[in-house]
Amino acid sequence: MGERAHYVIKNGDSWGRHYSQWGGYSIELDMLAGPETATRFAGMQRPDPAWMFASECVGAALIDRGESRLLWYSRCIDDATYWAAALAVMKRTWPGWRIDWAYDGLADIVAAVGENPRQVDGQCKLPQKPRLLQKASDYEPLPCLVTVAQEGVVRAHMVENSAESVIENGARSLAYYQAGSPVSTWPSFPGEGVHLDVDARTGGMWTLGTLDRLPDAAETHWPGWEWKHWQGRYREQIDQAAGAISVPEPDRRLGLRKLVEQFDSHQEVDSATQGLALLLNGLGALVTAAESAGMRVTTVTDNSFAHRPMDLTGEERDGVRAALAALRNEM
């Protein structure tokens, strides 16, 4: 399926939608240089007459030039420190712009242009039998932190499941936490979290990714409970945990180093170019083999080749590197 992405350029009441088969994996790198270069890059991609379903869209960006707002997300960012570094650099390279993360994924982008976000839900339905909760191992890259407050005591658990699975297991899952062994420390920072206050029948959730459709799941599987969407504000849960668990703060320097490495590598050969090269090599080998066997071959490239790589000038690259250096000096 590739790394499919939508790019939307909006000017006042008018907007245009573009498509890339390969841009979702590196969307933050293609947005990093600022509004003019990002708009140029998005406009180079193929115009698209329709939205894809949210489950198919790896990443998306809305460049709203009238409102000076960038709304974006990528499912491929799975590192809290890298995520924070990308957002911090964008605040420098998009001066005067509002930089927002689309916590509800593609639905947020669709709603921002005035259309019904439900149209990108596809045929997805809430699962009747969610995946059983599993305790995370300490090498799990982005576990979900679940904190349970009951009768004045808070117990913390790390599960390998997503926040989505935690919510979809419903109130019946409280027995799992009551029977399980809580943890008081964890060696890495979680990727998302869910707080459950049993006595008050309230819950809260946050993520460094997206929480598509979780409000619907919470209402369905936790009847009578009230829920808060904390977006990326993980401190809300840490504060309510009241010292029940200690986790390290995200290493901002480590995330920035990763971002510098990825940006420099992306300027040489981006992931889309690598993917296209593999496809072309494979296609060439198949055509050669077929023709040598006496067969006539017709090839159709369709969406597989729908991507135009970023074309930063030397001055634009230097601008990004200056922003990276300035952020590093502040740490």
Side-chain angles (χ1 to χ4, degrees), residues 106-138:
L106 185 59
D108 273 354
I109 307 289
V110 175
V113 297
E115 294 204 350
N116 183 357
R118 306 297 292 185
Q119 66 181 292
V120 298
D121 285 352
Q123 302 301 315
C124 295
K125 296 181 179 179
L126 296 175
Q128 297 301 311
K129 294 182 179 180
R131 180 185 172 196
L132 295 178
L133 297 170
Q134 298 289 334
K135 183 177 180 179
S137 57
D138 57 12

PDB file of all heavy atoms in Angstrom, residues 106-138:
ATOM      1  N   LEU A 106      -6.716  11.846   9.972  1.00  0.00           N
ATOM      2  CA  LEU A 106      -7.271  12.436   8.758  1.00  0.00           C
ATOM      3  C   LEU A 106      -8.607  13.118   9.010  1.00  0.00           C
ATOM      4  O   LEU A 106      -8.946  14.110   8.341  1.00  0.00           O
ATOM      5  CB  LEU A 106      -7.425  11.354   7.681  1.00  0.00           C
ATOM      6  CG  LEU A 106      -7.882  11.837   6.299  1.00  0.00           C
ATOM      7  CD1 LEU A 106      -6.901  12.854   5.718  1.00  0.00           C
ATOM      8  CD2 LEU A 106      -8.057  10.653   5.348  1.00  0.00           C
ATOM      9  N   ALA A 107      -9.365  12.637   9.976  1.00  0.00           N
ATOM     10  CA  ALA A 107     -10.659  13.253  10.276  1.00  0.00           C
ATOM     11  C   ALA A 107     -10.502  14.724  10.650  1.00  0.00           C
ATOM     12  O   ALA A 107     -11.345  15.559  10.316  1.00  0.00           O
ATOM     13  CB  ALA A 107     -11.353  12.497  11.408  1.00  0.00           C
ATOM     14  N   ASP A 108      -9.417  15.067  11.342  1.00  0.00           N
ATOM     15  CA  ASP A 108      -9.165  16.466  11.695  1.00  0.00           C
ATOM     16  C   ASP A 108      -8.934  17.322  10.454  1.00  0.00           C
ATOM     17  O   ASP A 108      -9.391  18.465  10.373  1.00  0.00           O
ATOM     18  CB  ASP A 108      -7.935  16.562  12.607  1.00  0.00           C
ATOM     19  CG  ASP A 108      -8.277  16.398  14.074  1.00  0.00           C
ATOM     20  OD1 ASP A 108      -9.475  16.328  14.404  1.00  0.00           O
ATOM     21  OD2 ASP A 108      -7.347  16.332  14.900  1.00  0.00           O
ATOM     22  N   ILE A 109      -8.192  16.777   9.492  1.00  0.00           N
ATOM     23  CA  ILE A 109      -7.906  17.509   8.260  1.00  0.00           C
ATOM     24  C   ILE A 109      -9.205  17.756   7.489  1.00  0.00           C
ATOM     25  O   ILE A 109      -9.459  18.862   7.000  1.00  0.00           O
ATOM     26  CB  ILE A 109      -6.912  16.725   7.374  1.00  0.00           C
ATOM     27  CG1 ILE A 109      -5.646  16.345   8.165  1.00  0.00           C
ATOM     28  CG2 ILE A 109      -6.588  17.501   6.113  1.00  0.00           C
ATOM     29  CD1 ILE A 109      -4.734  17.474   8.503  1.00  0.00           C
ATOM     30  N   VAL A 110     -10.024  16.721   7.384  1.00  0.00           N
ATOM     31  CA  VAL A 110     -11.285  16.827   6.649  1.00  0.00           C
ATOM     32  C   VAL A 110     -12.204  17.864   7.304  1.00  0.00           C
ATOM     33  O   VAL A 110     -12.805  18.706   6.629  1.00  0.00           O
ATOM     34  CB  VAL A 110     -11.983  15.457   6.570  1.00  0.00           C
ATOM     35  CG1 VAL A 110     -13.350  15.572   5.904  1.00  0.00           C
ATOM     36  CG2 VAL A 110     -11.102  14.460   5.806  1.00  0.00           C
ATOM     37  N   ALA A 111     -12.299  17.810   8.637  1.00  0.00           N
ATOM     38  CA  ALA A 111     -13.156  18.760   9.347  1.00  0.00           C
ATOM     39  C   ALA A 111     -12.665  20.196   9.181  1.00  0.00           C
ATOM     40  O   ALA A 111     -13.470  21.134   9.122  1.00  0.00           O
ATOM     41  CB  ALA A 111     -13.216  18.390  10.826  1.00  0.00           C
ATOM     42  N   ALA A 112     -11.354  20.369   9.086  1.00  0.00           N
ATOM     43  CA  ALA A 112     -10.770  21.713   9.001  1.00  0.00           C
ATOM     44  C   ALA A 112     -11.090  22.413   7.681  1.00  0.00           C
ATOM     45  O   ALA A 112     -10.985  23.636   7.594  1.00  0.00           O
ATOM     46  CB  ALA A 112      -9.262  21.647   9.200  1.00  0.00           C
ATOM     47  N   VAL A 113     -11.465  21.647   6.651  1.00  0.00           N
ATOM     48  CA  VAL A 113     -11.860  22.280   5.383  1.00  0.00           C
ATOM     49  C   VAL A 113     -13.384  22.335   5.249  1.00  0.00           C
ATOM     50  O   VAL A 113     -13.910  22.645   4.177  1.00  0.00           O
ATOM     51  CB  VAL A 113     -11.236  21.561   4.164  1.00  0.00           C
ATOM     52  CG1 VAL A 113      -9.723  21.653   4.214  1.00  0.00           C
ATOM     53  CG2 VAL A 113     -11.690  20.113   4.067  1.00  0.00           C
ATOM     54  N   GLY A 114     -14.083  22.018   6.331  1.00  0.00           N
ATOM     55  CA  GLY A 114     -15.532  22.174   6.356  1.00  0.00           C
ATOM     56  C   GLY A 114     -16.319  20.987   5.862  1.00  0.00           C
ATOM     57  O   GLY A 114     -17.527  21.114   5.622  1.00  0.00           O
ATOM     58  N   GLU A 115     -15.676  19.812   5.739  1.00  0.00           N
ATOM     59  CA  GLU A 115     -16.404  18.622   5.292  1.00  0.00           C
ATOM     60  C   GLU A 115     -16.650  17.675   6.459  1.00  0.00           C
ATOM     61  O   GLU A 115     -16.054  17.812   7.535  1.00  0.00           O
ATOM     62  CB  GLU A 115     -15.630  17.923   4.169  1.00  0.00           C
ATOM     63  CG  GLU A 115     -15.534  18.758   2.904  1.00  0.00           C
ATOM     64  CD  GLU A 115     -15.305  17.903   1.665  1.00  0.00           C
ATOM     65  OE1 GLU A 115     -15.036  16.706   1.797  1.00  0.00           O
ATOM     66  OE2 GLU A 115     -15.409  18.458   0.560  1.00  0.00           O
ATOM     67  N   ASN A 116     -17.531  16.708   6.235  1.00  0.00           N
ATOM     68  CA  ASN A 116     -17.903  15.754   7.281  1.00  0.00           C
ATOM     69  C   ASN A 116     -16.782  14.744   7.492  1.00  0.00           C
ATOM     70  O   ASN A 116     -16.474  13.960   6.589  1.00  0.00           O
ATOM     71  CB  ASN A 116     -19.193  15.032   6.880  1.00  0.00           C
ATOM     72  CG  ASN A 116     -19.682  14.084   7.964  1.00  0.00           C
ATOM     73  OD1 ASN A 116     -19.049  13.910   9.004  1.00  0.00           O
ATOM     74  ND2 ASN A 116     -20.816  13.456   7.719  1.00  0.00           N
ATOM     75  N   PRO A 117     -16.164  14.702   8.673  1.00  0.00           N
ATOM     76  CA  PRO A 117     -15.054  13.774   8.902  1.00  0.00           C
ATOM     77  C   PRO A 117     -15.462  12.312   8.889  1.00  0.00           C
ATOM     78  O   PRO A 117     -14.619  11.435   8.706  1.00  0.00           O
ATOM     79  CB  PRO A 117     -14.516  14.190  10.281  1.00  0.00           C
ATOM     80  CG  PRO A 117     -15.665  14.868  10.951  1.00  0.00           C
ATOM     81  CD  PRO A 117     -16.417  15.551   9.853  1.00  0.00           C
ATOM     82  N   ARG A 118     -16.763  12.034   9.042  1.00  0.00           N
ATOM     83  CA  ARG A 118     -17.203  10.637   9.067  1.00  0.00           C
ATOM     84  C   ARG A 118     -17.037   9.960   7.712  1.00  0.00           C
ATOM     85  O   ARG A 118     -17.012   8.728   7.636  1.00  0.00           O
ATOM     86  CB  ARG A 118     -18.682  10.564   9.492  1.00  0.00           C
ATOM     87  CG  ARG A 118     -19.004  11.260  10.795  1.00  0.00           C
ATOM     88  CD  ARG A 118     -18.311  10.651  11.976  1.00  0.00           C
ATOM     89  NE  ARG A 118     -18.795   9.320  12.282  1.00  0.00           N
ATOM     90  CZ  ARG A 118     -18.390   8.624  13.340  1.00  0.00           C
ATOM     91  NH1 ARG A 118     -17.500   9.128  14.168  1.00  0.00           N
ATOM     92  NH2 ARG A 118     -18.853   7.419  13.552  1.00  0.00           N
ATOM     93  N   GLN A 119     -16.903  10.754   6.650  1.00  0.00           N
ATOM     94  CA  GLN A 119     -16.788  10.157   5.321  1.00  0.00           C
ATOM     95  C   GLN A 119     -15.491   9.383   5.138  1.00  0.00           C
ATOM     96  O   GLN A 119     -15.379   8.579   4.218  1.00  0.00           O
ATOM     97  CB  GLN A 119     -16.889  11.233   4.249  1.00  0.00           C
ATOM     98  CG  GLN A 119     -15.741  12.228   4.232  1.00  0.00           C
ATOM     99  CD  GLN A 119     -15.902  13.283   3.162  1.00  0.00           C
ATOM    100  OE1 GLN A 119     -15.833  12.986   1.973  1.00  0.00           O
ATOM    101  NE2 GLN A 119     -16.145  14.515   3.574  1.00  0.00           N
ATOM    102  N   VAL A 120     -14.480   9.607   5.986  1.00  0.00           N
ATOM    103  CA  VAL A 120     -13.218   8.876   5.844  1.00  0.00           C
ATOM    104  C   VAL A 120     -13.136   7.687   6.788  1.00  0.00           C
ATOM    105  O   VAL A 120     -12.111   7.022   6.875  1.00  0.00           O
ATOM    106  CB  VAL A 120     -12.004   9.809   6.058  1.00  0.00           C
ATOM    107  CG1 VAL A 120     -11.998  10.910   5.013  1.00  0.00           C
ATOM    108  CG2 VAL A 120     -11.972  10.394   7.464  1.00  0.00           C
ATOM    109  N   ASP A 121     -14.233   7.391   7.495  1.00  0.00           N
ATOM    110  CA  ASP A 121     -14.233   6.243   8.407  1.00  0.00           C
ATOM    111  C   ASP A 121     -14.216   4.923   7.662  1.00  0.00           C
ATOM    112  O   ASP A 121     -13.804   3.904   8.200  1.00  0.00           O
ATOM    113  CB  ASP A 121     -15.473   6.272   9.314  1.00  0.00           C
ATOM    114  CG  ASP A 121     -15.358   7.310  10.416  1.00  0.00           C
ATOM    115  OD1 ASP A 121     -14.263   7.887  10.570  1.00  0.00           O
ATOM    116  OD2 ASP A 121     -16.349   7.549  11.116  1.00  0.00           O
ATOM    117  N   GLY A 122     -14.694   4.896   6.435  1.00  0.00           N
ATOM    118  CA  GLY A 122     -14.770   3.639   5.694  1.00  0.00           C
ATOM    119  C   GLY A 122     -15.802   2.718   6.308  1.00  0.00           C
ATOM    120  O   GLY A 122     -16.817   3.144   6.848  1.00  0.00           O
ATOM    121  N   GLN A 123     -15.527   1.430   6.244  1.00  0.00           N
ATOM    122  CA  GLN A 123     -16.437   0.433   6.785  1.00  0.00           C
ATOM    123  C   GLN A 123     -15.998  -0.060   8.146  1.00  0.00           C
ATOM    124  O   GLN A 123     -16.439  -1.104   8.611  1.00  0.00           O
ATOM    125  CB  GLN A 123     -16.543  -0.759   5.816  1.00  0.00           C
ATOM    126  CG  GLN A 123     -17.021  -0.369   4.426  1.00  0.00           C
ATOM    127  CD  GLN A 123     -18.382   0.283   4.454  1.00  0.00           C
ATOM    128  OE1 GLN A 123     -19.281  -0.195   5.126  1.00  0.00           O
ATOM    129  NE2 GLN A 123     -18.524   1.396   3.729  1.00  0.00           N
ATOM    130  N   CYS A 124     -15.102   0.686   8.812  1.00  0.00           N
ATOM    131  CA  CYS A 124     -14.581   0.239  10.105  1.00  0.00           C
ATOM    132  C   CYS A 124     -15.690   0.208  11.153  1.00  0.00           C
ATOM    133  O   CYS A 124     -16.526   1.100  11.213  1.00  0.00           O
ATOM    134  CB  CYS A 124     -13.462   1.171  10.577  1.00  0.00           C
ATOM    135  SG  CYS A 124     -12.006   1.124   9.523  1.00  0.00           S
ATOM    136  N   LYS A 125     -15.680  -0.802  11.959  1.00  0.00           N
ATOM    137  CA  LYS A 125     -16.607  -0.917  13.072  1.00  0.00           C
ATOM    138  C   LYS A 125     -15.816  -1.233  14.327  1.00  0.00           C
ATOM    139  O   LYS A 125     -14.741  -1.821  14.272  1.00  0.00           O
ATOM    140  CB  LYS A 125     -17.641  -2.016  12.812  1.00  0.00           C
ATOM    141  CG  LYS A 125     -18.558  -1.747  11.629  1.00  0.00           C
ATOM    142  CD  LYS A 125     -19.563  -2.878  11.474  1.00  0.00           C
ATOM    143  CE  LYS A 125     -20.498  -2.609  10.303  1.00  0.00           C
ATOM    144  NZ  LYS A 125     -21.478  -3.703  10.114  1.00  0.00           N
ATOM    145  N   LEU A 126     -16.358  -0.823  15.462  1.00  0.00           N
ATOM    146  CA  LEU A 126     -15.680  -1.138  16.710  1.00  0.00           C
ATOM    147  C   LEU A 126     -15.678  -2.654  16.903  1.00  0.00           C
ATOM    148  O   LEU A 126     -16.701  -3.312  16.757  1.00  0.00           O
ATOM    149  CB  LEU A 126     -16.404  -0.464  17.890  1.00  0.00           C
ATOM    150  CG  LEU A 126     -16.401   1.065  17.874  1.00  0.00           C
ATOM    151  CD1 LEU A 126     -17.244   1.598  19.027  1.00  0.00           C
ATOM    152  CD2 LEU A 126     -14.987   1.602  17.963  1.00  0.00           C
ATOM    153  N   PRO A 127     -14.533  -3.246  17.222  1.00  0.00           N
ATOM    154  CA  PRO A 127     -14.453  -4.704  17.347  1.00  0.00           C
ATOM    155  C   PRO A 127     -15.270  -5.221  18.520  1.00  0.00           C
ATOM    156  O   PRO A 127     -15.338  -4.585  19.567  1.00  0.00           O
ATOM    157  CB  PRO A 127     -12.947  -4.947  17.564  1.00  0.00           C
ATOM    158  CG  PRO A 127     -12.433  -3.667  18.132  1.00  0.00           C
ATOM    159  CD  PRO A 127     -13.253  -2.586  17.502  1.00  0.00           C
ATOM    160  N   GLN A 128     -15.914  -6.356  18.304  1.00  0.00           N
ATOM    161  CA  GLN A 128     -16.678  -6.971  19.378  1.00  0.00           C
ATOM    162  C   GLN A 128     -15.764  -7.684  20.378  1.00  0.00           C
ATOM    163  O   GLN A 128     -16.085  -7.786  21.554  1.00  0.00           O
ATOM    164  CB  GLN A 128     -17.680  -7.972  18.782  1.00  0.00           C
ATOM    165  CG  GLN A 128     -18.715  -7.319  17.878  1.00  0.00           C
ATOM    166  CD  GLN A 128     -19.532  -6.270  18.604  1.00  0.00           C
ATOM    167  OE1 GLN A 128     -20.041  -6.516  19.692  1.00  0.00           O
ATOM    168  NE2 GLN A 128     -19.647  -5.092  18.000  1.00  0.00           N
ATOM    169  N   LYS A 129     -14.645  -8.167  19.902  1.00  0.00           N
ATOM    170  CA  LYS A 129     -13.697  -8.855  20.780  1.00  0.00           C
ATOM    171  C   LYS A 129     -12.319  -8.215  20.633  1.00  0.00           C
ATOM    172  O   LYS A 129     -11.510  -8.645  19.819  1.00  0.00           O
ATOM    173  CB  LYS A 129     -13.629 -10.352  20.416  1.00  0.00           C
ATOM    174  CG  LYS A 129     -14.928 -11.101  20.679  1.00  0.00           C
ATOM    175  CD  LYS A 129     -14.775 -12.583  20.355  1.00  0.00           C
ATOM    176  CE  LYS A 129     -16.069 -13.342  20.651  1.00  0.00           C
ATOM    177  NZ  LYS A 129     -15.929 -14.793  20.338  1.00  0.00           N
ATOM    178  N   PRO A 130     -12.065  -7.167  21.403  1.00  0.00           N
ATOM    179  CA  PRO A 130     -10.762  -6.494  21.294  1.00  0.00           C
ATOM    180  C   PRO A 130      -9.637  -7.403  21.734  1.00  0.00           C
ATOM    181  O   PRO A 130      -9.835  -8.400  22.436  1.00  0.00           O
ATOM    182  CB  PRO A 130     -10.911  -5.303  22.231  1.00  0.00           C
ATOM    183  CG  PRO A 130     -11.969  -5.713  23.207  1.00  0.00           C
ATOM    184  CD  PRO A 130     -12.921  -6.563  22.420  1.00  0.00           C
ATOM    185  N   ARG A 131      -8.441  -7.052  21.330  1.00  0.00           N
ATOM    186  CA  ARG A 131      -7.268  -7.839  21.686  1.00  0.00           C
ATOM    187  C   ARG A 131      -7.071  -7.839  23.188  1.00  0.00           C
ATOM    188  O   ARG A 131      -7.197  -6.811  23.851  1.00  0.00           O
ATOM    189  CB  ARG A 131      -6.042  -7.220  21.013  1.00  0.00           C
ATOM    190  CG  ARG A 131      -4.752  -7.945  21.288  1.00  0.00           C
ATOM    191  CD  ARG A 131      -3.590  -7.200  20.679  1.00  0.00           C
ATOM    192  NE  ARG A 131      -2.322  -7.773  21.078  1.00  0.00           N
ATOM    193  CZ  ARG A 131      -1.157  -7.164  20.943  1.00  0.00           C
ATOM    194  NH1 ARG A 131      -1.108  -5.961  20.419  1.00  0.00           N
ATOM    195  NH2 ARG A 131      -0.052  -7.747  21.325  1.00  0.00           N
ATOM    196  N   LEU A 132      -6.783  -9.004  23.752  1.00  0.00           N
ATOM    197  CA  LEU A 132      -6.589  -9.114  25.189  1.00  0.00           C
ATOM    198  C   LEU A 132      -5.399  -8.269  25.628  1.00  0.00           C
ATOM    199  O   LEU A 132      -4.393  -8.158  24.933  1.00  0.00           O
ATOM    200  CB  LEU A 132      -6.357 -10.580  25.581  1.00  0.00           C
ATOM    201  CG  LEU A 132      -7.536 -11.533  25.349  1.00  0.00           C
ATOM    202  CD1 LEU A 132      -7.145 -12.952  25.723  1.00  0.00           C
ATOM    203  CD2 LEU A 132      -8.758 -11.089  26.136  1.00  0.00           C
ATOM    204  N   LEU A 133      -5.532  -7.669  26.798  1.00  0.00           N
ATOM    205  CA  LEU A 133      -4.467  -6.821  27.320  1.00  0.00           C
ATOM    206  C   LEU A 133      -3.264  -7.664  27.714  1.00  0.00           C
ATOM    207  O   LEU A 133      -3.394  -8.743  28.298  1.00  0.00           O
ATOM    208  CB  LEU A 133      -4.974  -6.034  28.526  1.00  0.00           C
ATOM    209  CG  LEU A 133      -6.115  -5.051  28.225  1.00  0.00           C
ATOM    210  CD1 LEU A 133      -6.699  -4.507  29.519  1.00  0.00           C
ATOM    211  CD2 LEU A 133      -5.622  -3.923  27.337  1.00  0.00           C
ATOM    212  N   GLN A 134      -2.078  -7.162  27.373  1.00  0.00           N
ATOM    213  CA  GLN A 134      -0.841  -7.863  27.680  1.00  0.00           C
ATOM    214  C   GLN A 134       0.118  -6.908  28.377  1.00  0.00           C
ATOM    215  O   GLN A 134       0.289  -5.767  27.949  1.00  0.00           O
ATOM    216  CB  GLN A 134      -0.189  -8.391  26.385  1.00  0.00           C
ATOM    217  CG  GLN A 134      -1.019  -9.396  25.619  1.00  0.00           C
ATOM    218  CD  GLN A 134      -1.102 -10.733  26.323  1.00  0.00           C
ATOM    219  OE1 GLN A 134      -0.209 -11.095  27.087  1.00  0.00           O
ATOM    220  NE2 GLN A 134      -2.168 -11.483  26.068  1.00  0.00           N
ATOM    221  N   LYS A 135       0.759  -7.379  29.431  1.00  0.00           N
ATOM    222  CA  LYS A 135       1.742  -6.567  30.132  1.00  0.00           C
ATOM    223  C   LYS A 135       2.936  -6.311  29.225  1.00  0.00           C
ATOM    224  O   LYS A 135       3.415  -7.203  28.529  1.00  0.00           O
ATOM    225  CB  LYS A 135       2.202  -7.286  31.401  1.00  0.00           C
ATOM    226  CG  LYS A 135       3.190  -6.480  32.247  1.00  0.00           C
ATOM    227  CD  LYS A 135       3.536  -7.227  33.518  1.00  0.00           C
ATOM    228  CE  LYS A 135       4.518  -6.420  34.359  1.00  0.00           C
ATOM    229  NZ  LYS A 135       4.861  -7.129  35.625  1.00  0.00           N
ATOM    230  N   ALA A 136       3.401  -5.077  29.209  1.00  0.00           N
ATOM    231  CA  ALA A 136       4.524  -4.715  28.345  1.00  0.00           C
ATOM    232  C   ALA A 136       5.833  -5.196  28.946  1.00  0.00           C
ATOM    233  O   ALA A 136       6.003  -5.254  30.171  1.00  0.00           O
ATOM    234  CB  ALA A 136       4.574  -3.201  28.148  1.00  0.00           C
ATOM    235  N   SER A 137       6.773  -5.563  28.077  1.00  0.00           N
ATOM    236  CA  SER A 137       8.135  -5.856  28.519  1.00  0.00           C
ATOM    237  C   SER A 137       8.901  -4.544  28.527  1.00  0.00           C
ATOM    238  O   SER A 137       8.523  -3.582  27.861  1.00  0.00           O
ATOM    239  CB  SER A 137       8.799  -6.861  27.575  1.00  0.00           C
ATOM    240  OG  SER A 137       8.787  -6.366  26.249  1.00  0.00           O
ATOM    241  N   ASP A 138      10.011  -4.494  29.265  1.00  0.00           N
ATOM    242  CA  ASP A 138      10.703  -3.219  29.409  1.00  0.00           C
ATOM    243  C   ASP A 138      11.453  -2.799  28.153  1.00  0.00           C
ATOM    244  O   ASP A 138      12.027  -1.707  28.106  1.00  0.00           O
ATOM    245  CB  ASP A 138      11.654  -3.240  30.610  1.00  0.00           C
ATOM    246  CG  ASP A 138      12.675  -4.363  30.536  1.00  0.00           C
ATOM    247  OD1 ASP A 138      12.800  -4.983  29.467  1.00  0.00           O
ATOM    248  OD2 ASP A 138      13.357  -4.611  31.545  1.00  0.00           O
TER     249      ASP A 138
END
